[in-house]
Amino acid sequence: MFTSNIGRLRFFFYSLGLFMAEAVAIVLCIAGTIGFAGLINSMPGHSRQGLAGAALVVSLIFVALRGNIAWRRSRDANGAKWILWTYIVFSGIYAFLQAGTLLVIDFGNPESAPSGLNLLGLSIFGLWATILWAKPVAGSDIDELTSAFDFDGSVPAPTRAERTATAAAPATPRAAAPAARSAPAPQPLGRPRPAGFGKRGL
């Protein structure tokens, strides 16, 4: 399950599902630690350490999951290794910065949010799009590429006996064609007798 190749459609839906699941997990971390009211009204620093630690652990788990599907997608399309590893490393850095933002952000001062986090997020999105649109290599296993769809099975290839019978079938009428031609009737020897009535015809 975690080692098979995945196509573009599955990679897109897997990434979308992980993004939504991570957002829900971060919300649960906030609700389970200091709450939204406590986050907004609290001062940056030690009061948010529990929240930042929980958010960091959850984010790193999802970084590992996204790295897995990106690796499977990159292997399917024979993508460049540096794009894959840059995507994974940037995602890990983003997880640390996201947890640090929850620790130091002051909701009364919007300028306290680091602007580099948005630039890093755009870079990660660009790398993700590059991995998504990579074309599969010629010779990829068709069963792996279509495993997300409900097919009854692959179409069986014709056996050697069937191919031999198919190739020999058109040759039969050609061989029988000369035999169908009948030999011309033998002609009588001598002068043919004229046909008619009376003595002349006898």
Side-chain angles (χ1 to χ4, degrees):
M1 177 179 179
F2 293 99
T3 58
S4 61
N5 294 343
I6 58 177
R8 293 175 180 171
L9 188 63
R10 291 175 61 188
F11 179 71
F12 174 80
F13 284 112
Y14 284 0
S15 299
L16 182 61
L18 289 176
F19 173 77
M20 296 176 63
E22 183 179 7
V24 172
I26 294 297
V27 169
L28 292 178
C29 288
I30 297 174
T33 53
I34 61 176
F36 290 95
L39 176 62
I40 296 175
N41 298 323
S42 63
M43 296 298 294
H46 299 286
S47 59
R48 300 180 184 177
Q49 287 182 353
L51 170 61
L56 178 60
V57 172
V58 169
S59 297
L60 290 178
I61 292 174
F62 281 96
V63 166
L65 294 176
R66 285 196 299 268
N68 177 262
I69 63 173
W71 168 68
R72 291 159 59 188
R73 171 65 189 140
S74 180
R75 183 183 61 182
D76 175 40
N78 197 20
K81 296 297 183 181
W82 70 269
I83 295 178
L84 171 64
W85 287 109
T86 304
Y87 172 76
I88 295 175
V89 171
F90 280 11
S91 297
I93 296 174
Y94 188 88
F96 279 96
L97 293 180
Q98 180 178 251
T101 301
L102 293 175
L103 185 64
V104 302
I105 189 173
D106 184 6
F107 291 95
N109 183 16
E111 297 180 357
S112 62
S115 59
L117 192 64
N118 296 330
L119 296 176
L120 183 59
L122 290 176
S123 301
I124 294 173
F125 178 78
L127 293 170
W128 174 85
T130 303
I131 297 173
L132 172 66
W133 291 109
K135 294 182 179 180
V137 294
S140 298
D141 190 359
I142 190 63
D143 294 331
E144 292 289 347
L145 299 178
T146 58
S147 60
F149 303 96
D150 187 16
F151 289 107
D152 294 335
S154 58
V155 179
T159 60
R160 183 177 181 181
E162 293 175 353
R163 292 195 299 267
T164 305
T166 304
T172 303
R174 297 180 181 177
R181 301 177 181 177
S182 60
Q187 299 293 333
L189 300 176
R191 183 178 180 181
R193 296 173 60 182
F197 298 95
K199 295 182 181 180
R200 292 182 179 182
L202 297 177

